Amino acid sequence: MATSLGDLAAAFGFELAGDPGKTVTRIANLRGATSDAISFLANPALRDELQSTQAGAVIVASCDADICPVDALIADDPYLAYARVAAALHPEPDYLPGVHDSAVIDSSAEFADTAHIAANAVVAAGSRIGEHVVVGAGSYVGPRCSIGDRSRLIANVTLVQDATLGKRNVIHPGAVIGAQGFGNAMGPDGWVRIPQIGGVRLGDDVEIGANTTIDRGAIDDTVIGNGVRLDNLIQIAHNVRIGDHTAMAAMTGISGSTVIGKRCRFAGQSGTFGHIRICDDAIIGAAAVISKDVREPGLYSGYLPAEPDKGWKRKAAWFRRIDKLARRVSQLEKSDKP
Amino acid sequence: MATSLGDLAAAFGFELAGDPGKTVTRIANLRGATSDAISFLANPALRDELQSTQAGAVIVASCDADICPVDALIADDPYLAYARVAAALHPEPDYLPGVHDSAVIDSSAEFADTAHIAANAVVAAGSRIGEHVVVGAGSYVGPRCSIGDRSRLIANVTLVQDATLGKRNVIHPGAVIGAQGFGNAMGPDGWVRIPQIGGVRLGDDVEIGANTTIDRGAIDDTVIGNGVRLDNLIQIAHNVRIGDHTAMAAMTGISGSTVIGKRCRFAGQSGTFGHIRICDDAIIGAAAVISKDVREPGLYSGYLPAEPDKGWKRKAAWFRRIDKLARRVSQLEKSDKP
Amino acid sequence: MATSLGDLAAAFGFELAGDPGKTVTRIANLRGATSDAISFLANPALRDELQSTQAGAVIVASCDADICPVDALIADDPYLAYARVAAALHPEPDYLPGVHDSAVIDSSAEFADTAHIAANAVVAAGSRIGEHVVVGAGSYVGPRCSIGDRSRLIANVTLVQDATLGKRNVIHPGAVIGAQGFGNAMGPDGWVRIPQIGGVRLGDDVEIGANTTIDRGAIDDTVIGNGVRLDNLIQIAHNVRIGDHTAMAAMTGISGSTVIGKRCRFAGQSGTFGHIRICDDAIIGAAAVISKDVREPGLYSGYLPAEPDKGWKRKAAWFRRIDKLARRVSQLEKSDKP
């Protein structure tokens, strides 16, 4: 969508150093940009690329405005500004209201006239679908689900049952929300399944990645706060509660009944084990294992970086004898005493 | 479903301390319960909540009967009793027999009259679907699959091919059973795929979590025993064999041809690597890496808990020099000798 | 498919020690084989099984030809030979050209007459489907996707948008290709989604496992080279580039913008964190965490093997004090000096 630099500056409160009438039509990287594109400099390591860019304009911080060889939009946070400009130039596709002939909707389900229900979608009994909602192709909306206004299930999404989504959610393909939690009691003849009678509640502006799973609660609900961002292939077990604006990278696993604060961040392949509590503003590093409560904000780490095999093997072997090594040190300390 | 305490006591062999005619209609937590609900005390840490509960009745162990302020059902294992009472009060939904108009069933497939085949399900050639089976919306039952009586594919499940399911299985959405195993031989021009001609066999009373994958065997079958419980996002590679009543928490990965005993338990994000054998009754801890055979029952552990970043970094740095530290200890021991 | 040993020898350049007219109809393991089957010996540990096999013939290396009790096909690489013979005896199923009545294809999509578009598949606007392509049941091909000749989406596959697949790809069920990458900028009111305007490009002869996710790029494309093999439940983040013939086992996670060379191999549950570069021919071990560039080929390792809990706990406790242990060694060294 062609937009003038002047309009972008006005819309988002940027300072413009250049021609307000110049139009740009797309976002591009500094290196690949042509004169119809606007780029951005958020990473100081790319200053060299800024100086040779062919972009029509660049979003920069004020400290970089002087070295920008083309028109500049000056923003406090160029990365955030990039997000906003990209959304303006590359808007979400429009979905026409209506129900595809091949969709199957239970007669007891309610849906807004403005909703878009795509090919081969299925909506089960007792569900409610809000204004401008998109139920993408092949998606399944199970019994007693509710989808808030302007939320979108991209395609092949599964809301199993008793899932309540707020407004403006985006649920990516393969996500499964509201599956039965993993609740079993051992009986004399094997595992006895525990009915999972709770639901799942997602706040507003939540985004759930591809093939991520969020189980419904055992008795009470599983709860995901407003503005939460979950990447792909994440597991959220039953009765987890996640605070507003917390973000998790791919392959994170959260154990049942864990309570996570607001604005936390989890790097990839991290996990919690046990019924953990994590305070607001905690940052969990890559592959970190959290097995007790986190009470202070800040960064928590927990991986040993891989090494060439020979060196790693030597160190792993010493780890297996670390208790013996410690005993040898104690022995030396004893004999060291006069 | 409203049920009297007397009926519950009789059905499951509990002792009743209270009014046999009192009815309860749902399970609730001790704290959230109202007089129409029955709760349970399985975790001694919640005794305080027992004493202030508003539940109509509580399932307790005999040692807690005295402090129960309301009617009590006394059971040897209150958690197992909770599972049974919850199932009585919250029964699975009924599915009406029949095939939805939008389902597509190959003319060579066989299915029982009592089966429920939901909207947009697809059943391929040569498949057999037993009595009271549910093939949920959007599910795909590929060639030569067989589903035993009363098994349920919740929705959007994929049985790829040559998958044989026993009775009373529950397969959650997004699960993929019978995909081609990861078999490749390196040839002069790149990887050559190895046809995977085995199948997958699941016993009776198996439960498979959302987005879990179980590959079919390379030559022989992949085999999952009776009563096995797999949580979400688990990988079972080709030719794995899992013994009866083994349970795995989310994100566990089992490498090809691994043989796992009966009644094992795997915590989340654990994994086996190589063609491993694991004996009966082994318990694999969270994030543990099993790379050699497990020959004795009991708990195996393998993670280092995350810490605040500064402390972790210091320790990780010492780990990288642990071989040098050990050499220094050896040096000291030498000079310590008279 | 019945084939004579003479024909197999001629087709693949094997030496035959035995009857060229003998026919075999299937691949079997040495132990389970009957006289209609051909087996193979690729693992020297199975020589005992060779000597008692009931197979009609066995593929062996020349060094094992003498001890083969039945007809032998002698090959330089018996495992690769097994792959080729298995493909000859167990060919892929044929798919008849045509579009199933229940498939939904946008009028602006193009597809070859030889393509097979199965039940309940959906093909969106602007997509192109090549010769002999299979779009399996329940699969979704989103806007502006392109599928090269003879590629197959097995069933319930999702190509979200802007995904370009080369020739002869195989995409297993539940895979999601082209979902929006995880791009968010923190604004004053929470996360602001960054539109992901790049696509995904897969080369020829690529295979993508069940429930694996490959995100589309933020600005430029995510790129998967020719002959790449990805197992199940793998995460490939936005703007990753993977070189030709690289293979990854299940549950591997690759962080955004990581660039991986040719012929690399990743064992299960490994991961990269950060914008990493990995050179050609690197081998990443099981559960290894790669957090800086890999510049030399060879094996990189990074896990501590699980142990019985008691021993592990002791060692983990020493790890938590490893810095203190090191200080004690320094102290001893000081006092050791004359």
Side-chain angles (χ1 to χ4, degrees):
Chain A
M1 179 180 294
T3 309
S4 74
L5 297 182
D7 285 353
L8 288 172
F12 302 117
F14 306 141
E15 185 183 340
L16 171 61
D19 172 10
K22 181 186 282 187
T23 60
V24 289
T25 62
R26 62 186 184 96
I27 282 279
N29 282 316
L30 286 167
R31 221 195 306 225
T34 49
S35 62
D36 60 326
I38 183 166
S39 190
F40 66 101
L41 177 70
N43 176 354
L46 300 182
R47 277 190 185 125
D48 281 357
E49 296 190 4
L50 172 64
Q51 290 175 282
S52 59
T53 191
Q54 305 291 315
V58 181
I59 304 163
V60 294
S62 57
C63 63
D64 292 315
D66 285 350
I67 61 166
C68 183
V70 296
D71 289 357
L73 288 173
I74 301 166
D76 292 341
D77 179 344
Y79 193 67
L80 176 61
Y82 148 56
R84 299 205 192 280
V85 169
L89 297 177
H90 303 274
E92 295 293 337
D94 278 338
Y95 291 90
L96 295 178
V99 177
H100 193 276
D101 287 346
S102 62
V104 176
I105 303 184
D106 189 90
S107 59
S108 70
E110 294 175 31
F111 57 94
D113 288 346
T114 56
H116 172 95
I117 301 183
N120 288 334
V122 176
V123 180
S127 283
R128 300 186 61 257
I129 292 175
E131 299 287 344
H132 301 285
V133 164
V134 175
V135 178
S139 295
Y140 174 71
V141 179
R144 299 172 304 280
C145 291
S146 169
I147 307 179
D149 296 348
R150 296 185 185 278
S151 285
R152 290 178 286 138
L153 316 186
I154 300 296
N156 284 340
V157 166
T158 305
L159 306 187
V160 186
Q161 65 174 68
D162 300 299
T164 301
L165 276 59
K167 296 177 180 175
R168 299 173 301 276
N169 283 199
V170 179
I171 316 293
H172 292 288
V176 177
I177 299 176
Q180 176 168 298
F182 197 60
N184 298 288
M186 182 50 83
D189 304 319
W191 295 106
V192 175
R193 182 180 311 122
I194 299 174
Q196 304 285 301
I197 63 178
V200 177
R201 283 183 283 130
L202 277 64
D204 296 333
D205 301 299
V206 170
E207 187 153 348
I208 305 295
N211 286 346
T212 282
T213 57
I214 306 177
D215 283 348
R216 67 181 188 265
I219 295 179
D220 298 326
D221 292 344
T222 303
V223 181
I224 311 291
N226 295 318
V228 166
R229 291 290 194 269
L230 303 187
D231 196 357
N232 300 341
L233 290 167
I234 286 173
Q235 155 74 351
I236 306 294
H238 51 183
N239 297 105
V240 167
R241 304 178 73 94
I242 301 181
D244 295 350
H245 307 300
T246 282
M248 296 185 185
M251 300 179 137
T252 293
I254 305 298
S255 46
S257 301
T258 290
V259 178
I260 297 173
K262 296 179 180 177
R263 298 172 304 276
C264 292
R265 278 181 277 165
F266 287 69
Q269 294 188 334
S270 58
T272 69
F273 298 99
H275 299 189
I276 302 291
R277 287 186 161 266
I278 296 182
C279 66
D280 294 346
D281 299 300
I283 302 172
I284 310 299
V289 176
I290 304 294
S291 52
K292 52 186 188 187
D293 289 359
V294 170
R295 298 203 171 90
E296 300 287 334
L299 174 59
Y300 292 76
S301 297
Y303 73 85
L304 298 172
E307 297 188 34
D309 184 60
K310 197 177 161 183
W312 176 268
K313 272 223 184 79
R314 207 165 53 227
K315 290 159 199 179
W318 277 113
F319 177 81
R320 279 196 295 278
R321 287 174 286 169
I322 192 172
D323 49 342
K324 295 197 180 70
L325 185 66
R327 216 176 306 142
R328 287 163 58 192
V329 172
S330 295
Q331 197 61 44
L332 284 164
E333 287 169 335
K334 270 183 218 158
S335 73
D336 191 50
K337 278 177 190 147
Chain B
M1 178 178 297
T3 309
S4 74
L5 297 182
D7 285 351
L8 288 172
F12 300 117
F14 307 141
E15 186 184 339
L16 170 61
D19 172 9
K22 182 187 281 187
T23 60
V24 288
T25 64
R26 62 186 184 96
I27 281 279
N29 282 316
L30 286 166
R31 219 193 307 222
T34 46
S35 62
D36 60 328
I38 182 167
S39 189
F40 66 101
L41 177 70
N43 177 355
L46 301 182
R47 278 195 183 121
D48 280 358
E49 296 191 5
L50 173 64
Q51 290 177 282
S52 59
T53 191
Q54 305 291 315
V58 182
I59 304 163
V60 294
S62 56
C63 62
D64 291 315
D66 284 351
I67 61 168
C68 183
V70 296
D71 289 356
L73 286 173
I74 302 167
D76 292 341
D77 179 343
Y79 194 66
L80 176 60
Y82 148 56
R84 298 205 193 279
V85 169
L89 296 179
H90 304 274
E92 297 292 337
D94 278 337
Y95 292 91
L96 294 178
V99 177
H100 194 275
D101 287 347
S102 63
V104 176
I105 302 184
D106 188 90
S107 59
S108 70
E110 294 174 32
F111 56 94
D113 288 346
T114 54
H116 172 97
I117 301 183
N120 288 334
V122 176
V123 180
S127 283
R128 301 186 62 256
I129 292 175
E131 300 287 345
H132 300 286
V133 163
V134 175
V135 178
S139 296
Y140 173 69
V141 179
R144 298 173 305 279
C145 292
S146 170
I147 307 178
D149 297 347
R150 294 184 186 279
S151 286
R152 289 179 285 137
L153 317 185
I154 300 296
N156 284 340
V157 167
T158 305
L159 306 187
V160 186
Q161 65 174 67
D162 300 300
T164 301
L165 276 58
K167 296 178 180 175
R168 298 173 302 276
N169 283 198
V170 179
I171 316 293
H172 292 287
V176 177
I177 299 176
Q180 176 168 297
F182 197 61
N184 298 288
M186 182 49 84
D189 305 318
W191 295 108
V192 175
R193 182 180 311 123
I194 298 173
Q196 304 285 301
I197 62 177
V200 178
R201 282 183 283 131
L202 277 64
D204 295 333
D205 300 299
V206 169
E207 187 151 349
I208 306 295
N211 286 345
T212 282
T213 57
I214 306 177
D215 284 349
R216 68 180 187 265
I219 295 179
D220 298 325
D221 292 345
T222 303
V223 181
I224 311 292
N226 295 317
V228 166
R229 291 289 194 270
L230 303 187
D231 197 356
N232 299 342
L233 290 167
I234 285 173
Q235 154 75 354
I236 306 294
H238 51 183
N239 297 105
V240 167
R241 303 177 73 93
I242 301 181
D244 296 350
H245 307 300
T246 283
M248 295 185 185
M251 298 180 140
T252 293
I254 304 298
S255 47
S257 300
T258 290
V259 178
I260 297 173
K262 297 179 180 177
R263 297 172 305 274
C264 292
R265 277 181 275 164
F266 287 68
Q269 294 188 333
S270 58
T272 69
F273 298 99
H275 300 189
I276 302 292
R277 285 183 163 268
I278 296 181
C279 66
D280 294 345
D281 299 300
I283 302 171
I284 310 300
V289 176
I290 303 294
S291 53
K292 53 186 187 187
D293 290 356
V294 171
R295 297 204 171 90
E296 301 287 335
L299 174 59
Y300 293 76
S301 297
Y303 73 85
L304 298 172
E307 297 187 34
D309 184 60
K310 197 175 163 186
W312 176 268
K313 273 223 183 78
R314 206 165 54 226
K315 290 160 199 179
W318 276 113
F319 176 81
R320 279 195 294 278
R321 287 174 287 169
I322 191 174
D323 49 343
K324 295 197 182 69
L325 185 67
R327 216 177 304 142
R328 287 163 58 192
V329 172
S330 295
Q331 196 61 44
L332 283 164
E333 287 168 335
K334 269 183 218 158
S335 74
D336 191 49
K337 279 180 188 144
Chain C
M1 180 179 294
T3 309
S4 74
L5 298 182
D7 285 352
L8 289 172
F12 301 117
F14 306 141
E15 187 184 337
L16 170 60
D19 172 10
K22 182 185 280 185
T23 60
V24 289
T25 62
R26 61 185 186 94
I27 282 278
N29 283 315
L30 286 167
R31 221 194 305 223
T34 48
S35 62
D36 60 326
I38 184 166
S39 190
F40 66 101
L41 177 70
N43 177 354
L46 301 182
R47 279 193 184 122
D48 281 357
E49 296 191 4
L50 173 64
Q51 290 177 279
S52 59
T53 190
Q54 304 292 314
V58 181
I59 304 164
V60 294
S62 57
C63 63
D64 291 316
D66 284 351
I67 60 166
C68 182
V70 297
D71 289 355
L73 287 173
I74 302 167
D76 292 343
D77 180 342
Y79 193 68
L80 176 60
Y82 148 56
R84 297 206 194 281
V85 169
L89 297 178
H90 303 274
E92 297 292 339
D94 278 338
Y95 291 90
L96 295 178
V99 177
H100 194 275
D101 287 348
S102 62
V104 177
I105 303 184
D106 189 89
S107 59
S108 70
E110 294 173 31
F111 57 93
D113 289 345
T114 55
H116 172 97
I117 302 182
N120 288 335
V122 176
V123 180
S127 283
R128 300 186 61 253
I129 291 175
E131 300 285 347
H132 302 286
V133 163
V134 174
V135 178
S139 295
Y140 173 71
V141 179
R144 300 174 303 280
C145 291
S146 170
I147 307 179
D149 298 347
R150 296 185 184 278
S151 285
R152 290 179 285 140
L153 317 185
I154 300 296
N156 284 342
V157 167
T158 305
L159 306 186
V160 185
Q161 65 174 69
D162 300 300
T164 301
L165 276 58
K167 296 177 180 174
R168 298 174 302 276
N169 283 199
V170 179
I171 315 295
H172 292 287
V176 177
I177 299 176
Q180 176 168 297
F182 197 61
N184 298 288
M186 183 48 85
D189 304 319
W191 295 107
V192 176
R193 183 179 310 123
I194 298 174
Q196 304 284 300
I197 63 176
V200 178
R201 283 182 284 130
L202 278 63
D204 296 332
D205 301 299
V206 169
E207 187 152 348
I208 305 296
N211 285 346
T212 282
T213 57
I214 306 177
D215 283 350
R216 66 181 189 265
I219 295 180
D220 299 325
D221 293 344
T222 303
V223 181
I224 311 291
N226 296 316
V228 166
R229 292 287 193 273
L230 303 188
D231 197 356
N232 299 342
L233 290 167
I234 286 172
Q235 153 75 351
I236 306 294
H238 52 183
N239 297 106
V240 167
R241 303 176 73 94
I242 301 181
D244 296 349
H245 308 299
T246 282
M248 296 184 185
M251 300 180 137
T252 293
I254 305 298
S255 46
S257 300
T258 290
V259 178
I260 297 173
K262 296 179 180 177
R263 297 173 305 275
C264 292
R265 278 180 274 164
F266 287 68
Q269 293 188 333
S270 58
T272 69
F273 298 98
H275 299 187
I276 301 290
R277 285 184 163 266
I278 296 182
C279 66
D280 295 345
D281 300 300
I283 301 172
I284 309 301
V289 176
I290 303 294
S291 54
K292 54 186 186 186
D293 289 358
V294 171
R295 298 204 171 90
E296 300 287 336
L299 174 59
Y300 293 76
S301 297
Y303 73 85
L304 298 172
E307 296 187 36
D309 185 60
K310 196 176 164 186
W312 176 268
K313 272 222 185 79
R314 206 166 54 226
K315 290 158 200 181
W318 277 113
F319 177 82
R320 278 195 297 277
R321 287 174 287 168
I322 191 173
D323 49 341
K324 296 196 180 70
L325 185 66
R327 216 176 305 141
R328 287 164 57 192
V329 172
S330 295
Q331 197 60 46
L332 283 165
E333 286 168 334
K334 270 183 217 157
S335 74
D336 191 49
K337 278 178 190 145

